[in-house]
Structures are given as structure tokens and as C-alpha cells.
Amino acid sequence: MCTNTPLCQVFGSARLRKFGQVWKTWRKSRIVSLYMDAGGKTLQQNQDALWQAVLGEIELSVSHGNFITWFKGTSLLEHSDEKIVIGVTNVFIKQTLENKYGGVIAEILAKNGLVAKRVEYKTTSSQTDKRRTDKAAETAYTPPAASPATTISAGQPAQSNLGGLTQSFRQGLNERYTLDNFVVGDSNDVAFAACQAVTVQPGTKYNPLFIYGGVGIGKTHLLQAVGNVLVARNPSAKVLYISMEQFVQEFVNALRFRKMPAFAKHYRTADALLVDDVQFIAGKEKIQEEFFHTFNTLHQANKQIVITADKPPKDIPTLEDRLRSRFNGGMSIDMQIPDFETRCAIVQAKAQSHGSNLEHEVVEYLATNIQTNIRELEGALNQLLAYCEVRGLEPNLVIASGLINVNKTRPKHLSAKQIIERTARHFQIPFEEIVGPKRDKDIVVPRQVAMYMLRNELKLSFPKIARELGRKDHTTAIHSVDKIDREARSDASLRMAISEIREHLYA
Ligand code: ADP
Ligand code: MG
């Protein structure tokens, strides 16, 4: 049982309860805004509460970096049957929300009872103020995310204990991510240890520290935690967290508003630079060039750089060689999907930090059914806790299994042919070849992946797997499945391929 393991004992302890208070406050505010009648409040307060509920859900469906970049300063300005007007702080955010996140926003608005003929985005006055300030202070550079010190995201605890820190020195950091509330297991212990080491002696040992791995497995959490520790140890240090997407956006803005020198200076004078999802730099030559210089300046000055990505440097397409070699010049760590025991410990720890003690069978149910993404696991847990709290129920297996629609992600109608087709399409080879006689490496590996998928998704027997792929000998299937299983543990790009195929299958 999970709670009898050393992991659970460690993370179910008093240390966690300390964080429980913060989480409780956050969660309460979220639950209140989600479910309670807001009678007696002003219209603006109701709108704010509604919007916080919407943001709370959006935060669960986008990456932390994206959330901070695109949603942090937003507000609900107006809503009627005719239109919903969302306030944003600049025109780039407006464009991105319209073009990229329109669907997600509409869906979550509707879930929260906000339906209208159209959704509009309006730049609010803080942007006008900002432009004015921009003009006045040509040399001063204020990154967009730090400028509107207004809305605290639904996922963030109140920032009351920021002490005397200026916003810009804590840019992008969210106190909710700490090393203490990160659950350590076999899949992430190396990354955790390296992060710890970096906080003890920044800029010396592992520089840069490059952490890569799939989606929702805790990379941003660790990166943010490093930032929080560095700021706690040295409150005057300029610790900058930025997602590469945001860096790109700021770069474009800086070019447009002729603030390149200030932009460059801002990042080149950091004491520590934490860059999330660096893969977004792929194919952007000018940005690679700027980032290269930033990197060199900081590195030469022994300033700590920590980078995360969804794949190792060698697999990031169109990455300049000089950057690739810089990224490889320190310590690279492959983070993996947490195993069952760690997932149990995470669920238990998160539940306890919400003030709830779940039965083992509920913890295990969640950890069994949501395997690949801790963000999803957390979302499912939050959903369960919110559901039970509102109704005054104790979470149990029946409620959990009713609420988490496992069949949604594992439809039974999936056929072997669909899996093979999808795998072939992923590797851009014809169906006839993957099931055909050719033994070229380009075909053999996809074929092995297809066998692995058939085994994992459909639990087919080895003889059946062999037959589906046109092989006579079932030992080929045994070896293939075993090989992919082993290699996926150490090869992030293979894991990505598998999870992409899986995502398409269940989309
Ligand atoms: P990634 O950046 O790898 O996509 P995140 O760091 O955003 O993933 O993690 C997704 C969610 O899962 C976050 O809320 C994070 O706190 C949580 N999480 C992931 N791994 C752990 C862990 N080992 N312990 C505690 N929480 C975790
Ligand atoms: Mg992330």
C-alpha cells in the first residue's frame, strides 16, 4: 500500500501540512467561486469570482508557462447573452487568446454557465498606461508579465509574504511550487537532486542544468521550485523565470517598440535564468541568436541557468549547433513519468495538502487510471475533492470511478488496424510497409512500436500481435515489445512518439 512506503511516510508528514494551509486557502477560494451563490456581492465581485473559476480550470488545461504568459492579467469585463468581453493587457495576448485559445476559453466559459453569441477581447487601460511608460522610459525594460501587478491567478496563493521584493525580481515565480512539496521517486530523483544542488551552489556545479521529459511530469514544478529557493536564500537576487514562448513574444515586442537594448540587458543581468519549454526556440533564428548571447553572458559570469524541454537538445529540430552544444555543456537529465508508487504518493500528498485524507483504494484507483500526466492526475483529484466537498460527502471508490470517466480515454472500440495505421502515419510510412516484409531500420522500429502499442493498448497476445503485423513467429513480437519497453525508459523521443500516437488514438 502506498501509505506504508517510505515515500508516503515522508511526504504525508508534518512538512506537508504546513503547505496544506496555503493550499486550503487557495482551494477554498476556488471552490467558493466555482459553486457558491454569490448573492449580496456587487456585479464586479461576481464577475471576478466567475472569472477566477474560469481561470482555475484554464490553469489545469494549459502549461504553467502559458498560463502565466497569456492568462495572468486577464479579467472579465462584461457578459450578456449577446457578448462576453474579456480584458487583456496587450494586443499580442488578445491575438493569441483569439487564435490559439478561443476554443478552450469558450468551452470553459460554457462549463461555468457563461454562454454568449460571441467572445470579444479588449485591451484594458493598463496597456495604455504601459505604452505611456514605455515611451517615457526608453531604457527601462519591464517585462509584460511583471507589469500589470493586478490579478493573482486562481492557482496562486495570495502573495502576501513577498516581503519587500520587487515584482520584477520574482518575475514569473509562483510560490506554490516548492522542493518540499515535490514528491520524489525513481523517475525524478536525479532531476530533484540536481535541482537541490543548484540551489545550494548556483552557477558552479551543473551549469546549465537541462531537464527534459514528457508533458505534465513535473519539469515546470522543479524549475519554479529552484527559483523560489534561490529567491528565498538571496532576496535581492534577480531570479528570472520565463517560458520560451514568452521570451519569443517579448523579443518580438522589443523589436517592434525599439527596446532591444533594454530587453537584452534585462536578461543578461539576471543572477539566475530559468527557461521553461525551450523547444519553442526551434526554427527561430533571430531568437536563437539573442538567446545564445544571453546564455553566454550569464554562463561566463557563473550565473545559474536551468532549462527545461520536452526533448533532449539533440532532438530539438533546427536548433543551431552552437546552442545545442551549449545546452549539452552542463548536466542533462531525462525525467520520466512517475511510476505507480510515486503517483500514489503524489495523490496522497496533494489530497493531504487540501486537508483531505483519501482511502488507499481511492488513491490507487486514481494512480492506476491516470498514468502519463500528473497534471491530469491532479485535475482528477481536484474534481473529486470539489465534488465531495460541495455535497458534504467523503470521497470513495464509487464516487471516484463514477466521476473519472476512464472509458473516455480508453475506448473499447479501438481496433488493431487503427493502432497500426496511426503508428505508420506517425512515422510517415505506408500501412503496407509496416505490415510488409521489409527489414529496413526505418520500418522495423515503427513496426516494433506498433507491436508495443498493441500489447499495451489492447492487451493482445503475442501470437496475435505477430499476425496483425504479418509476422509468423511470435517471439519477434515478444522481443519487440520488450525492446521498446526498455528503450522508452531512457529515450525521451521514443516516449514522446508513443504518447503522441496514444493521444491521437484517443483524441
Ligand atoms: P511539466 O512542466 O513537466 O509539463 P508540471 O511541472 O507543470 O509538468 O507538472 C504538472 C502538475 O503536476 C503540477 O501541478 C505539479 O505540481 C504536479 N507534479 C508533477 N510531478 C510532481 C511531483 N513529483 N510531486 C508533486 N507534484 C508534482
Ligand atoms: Mg511545463
Side-chain angles (χ1 to χ4, degrees):
M1 285 290 180
C2 158
T3 46
N4 295 333
T5 66
L7 271 181
C8 287
Q9 281 161 10
V10 172
F11 288 97
S13 68
R15 195 143 52 101
L16 245 160
R17 271 188 282 281
K18 196 174 76 191
F19 291 98
Q21 277 318 105
V22 178
W23 270 95
K24 243 181 175 168
T25 318
W26 164 72
R27 183 163 169 258
K28 254 195 193 138
S29 68
R30 184 151 180 262
I31 305 268
V32 165
S33 54
L34 274 171
Y35 297 100
M36 276 185 46
D37 176 11
K41 289 182 177 172
T42 66
L43 180 64
Q44 188 55 51
Q45 279 171 330
N46 282 342
Q47 287 195 168
D48 288 347
L50 258 174
W51 189 240
Q52 288 305 315
V54 172
L55 284 180
E57 287 196 43
I58 290 176
E59 194 176 14
L60 290 175
S61 41
V62 304
S63 74
H64 174 71
N66 280 337
F67 183 78
I68 297 288
T69 310
W70 307 117
F71 292 95
K72 200 167 169 227
T74 57
S75 55
L76 180 61
L77 298 178
E78 186 186 327
H79 68 94
S80 64
D81 292 346
E82 202 56 38
K83 65 176 177 184
I84 292 168
V85 184
I86 296 167
V88 296
T89 51
N90 70 46
V91 69
F92 304 108
I93 294 181
K94 179 173 186 272
Q95 278 168 350
T96 306
L97 293 190
E98 266 170 358
N99 300 334
K100 192 168 166 196
Y101 293 106
V104 180
I105 294 172
E107 193 183 307
I108 295 177
L109 282 170
K111 251 170 107 182
N112 285 275
L114 288 165
V115 184
K117 286 187 187 140
R118 60 181 196 278
V119 177
E120 286 178 9
Y121 299 87
K122 194 172 162 192
T123 46
T124 52
S125 55
S126 62
Q127 173 62 13
T128 325
D129 295 344
K130 188 182 169 306
R131 286 231 181 90
R132 232 179 278 137
T133 329
D134 285 352
K135 277 211 174 116
E138 272 310 310
T139 49
Y141 180 76
T142 314
S147 52
T150 46
T151 327
I152 293 171
S153 83
Q156 273 181 299
Q159 300 190 352
S160 53
N161 49 351
L162 289 185
L165 296 179
T166 60
Q167 270 282 359
S168 62
F169 284 4
R170 292 195 49 90
Q171 192 206 330
L173 287 180
N174 182 335
E175 288 172 313
R176 126 189 186 195
Y177 297 111
T178 68
L179 288 179
D180 285 311
N181 66 9
F182 188 82
V183 178
V184 186
D186 287 348
S187 60
N188 56 28
D189 55 353
V190 181
F192 180 82
C195 286
Q196 254 184 338
V198 154
T199 60
V200 177
Q201 285 185 307
T204 52
K205 229 176 171 182
Y206 309 129
N207 206 12
L209 173 59
F210 192 103
I211 299 174
Y212 62 91
V215 178
I217 58 168
K219 301 183 300 297
T220 297
H221 186 131
L222 276 181
L223 190 64
Q224 287 264 330
V226 167
N228 283 323
V229 177
L230 290 176
V231 170
R233 294 225 166 118
N234 181 3
S236 61
K238 185 173 174 183
V239 177
L240 300 182
Y241 164 92
I242 187 147
S243 73
M244 185 40 80
E245 246 182 323
Q246 190 185 348
F247 188 85
V248 170
Q249 204 62 60
E250 285 187 19
F251 177 89
V252 173
N253 287 356
L255 266 186
R256 199 173 146 183
F257 298 116
R258 300 208 171 97
K259 291 175 72 73
M260 270 319 285
F263 171 83
K265 186 170 166 224
H266 178 69
Y267 287 102
R268 291 181 202 182
T269 53
D271 291 309
L273 182 62
L274 313 169
V275 184
D276 210 358
D277 290 324
V278 83
Q279 71 274 5
F280 283 107
I281 207 170
K284 301 182 179 79
E285 277 170 36
K286 279 218 166 107
I287 305 215
Q288 294 196 13
E289 158 122 34
E290 173 60 30
F291 192 67
F292 177 75
H293 293 303
T294 304
F295 185 103
N296 279 349
T297 310
L298 294 177
H299 197 258
Q300 276 157 18
N302 292 329
K303 304 295 186 186
Q304 181 65 49
I305 301 164
V306 188
I307 298 171
T308 73
D310 65 355
K311 41 177 102 57
K314 73 174 168 54
D315 292 342
I316 300 178
T318 63
L319 183 66
E320 280 181 29
D321 282 345
R322 55 182 185 166
L323 259 185
R324 203 185 304 277
S325 75
R326 290 295 185 283
F327 289 170
N328 279 322
M331 168 93 157
S332 278
I333 294 171
D334 175 5
M335 241 174 112
Q336 308 207 0
I337 297 159
D339 55 24
F340 174 71
E341 193 184 49
T342 313
R343 292 199 302 279
C344 284
I346 292 174
V347 173
Q348 194 61 278
K350 300 249 175 205
Q352 285 179 355
S353 68
H354 285 239
S356 181
N357 235 328
L358 291 182
E359 289 170 16
H360 297 165
E361 53 183 16
V362 176
V363 172
E364 285 175 9
Y365 180 83
L366 294 174
T368 306
N369 286 296
I370 302 167
Q371 301 189 350
T372 55
N373 185 326
I374 304 302
R375 190 175 302 123
E376 269 175 31
L377 187 58
E378 211 178 332
L381 170 69
N382 289 344
Q383 198 188 348
L384 173 67
L385 293 179
Y387 181 94
C388 291
E389 179 158 327
V390 172
R391 291 165 180 77
L393 302 169
E394 276 302 312
N396 63 31
L397 193 57
V398 178
I399 303 175
S401 54
L403 216 55
I404 289 127
N405 188 357
V406 177
N407 291 337
K408 202 174 88 203
T409 52
R410 292 283 179 271
K412 290 197 175 66
H413 57 259
L414 208 59
S415 71
K417 188 162 180 234
Q418 278 172 301
I419 292 182
I420 300 169
E421 267 172 355
R422 188 72 244 177
T423 312
R425 192 166 346 151
H426 181 89
F427 293 102
Q428 298 177 329
I429 55 172
F431 180 80
E432 298 72 47
E433 295 207 334
I434 202 169
V435 295
K438 277 197 183 161
R439 292 175 163 273
D440 313 17
K441 193 163 182 241
D442 292 357
I443 306 215
V444 169
V445 175
R447 191 179 291 141
Q448 291 170 334
V449 172
M451 291 186 178
Y452 172 86
M453 300 295 298
L454 291 178
R455 181 72 183 164
N456 275 280
E457 304 307 307
L458 297 186
K459 313 277 176 251
L460 294 190
S461 68
F462 289 115
K464 179 125 180 54
I465 293 175
R467 267 202 307 281
E468 289 290 349
L469 281 138
R471 314 286 110 181
K472 289 197 188 93
D473 185 0
H474 77 280
T475 55
T476 316
I478 297 177
H479 291 315
S480 300
V481 172
D482 184 48
K483 176 172 172 273
I484 298 298
D485 197 12
R486 257 183 299 111
E487 285 182 2
R489 288 168 209 262
S490 57
D491 183 341
S493 56
L494 175 56
R495 285 202 302 278
M496 289 270 298
I498 292 170
S499 78
E500 269 170 33
I501 296 168
R502 203 176 267 143
E503 260 169 38
H504 278 112
L505 284 170
Y506 297 117

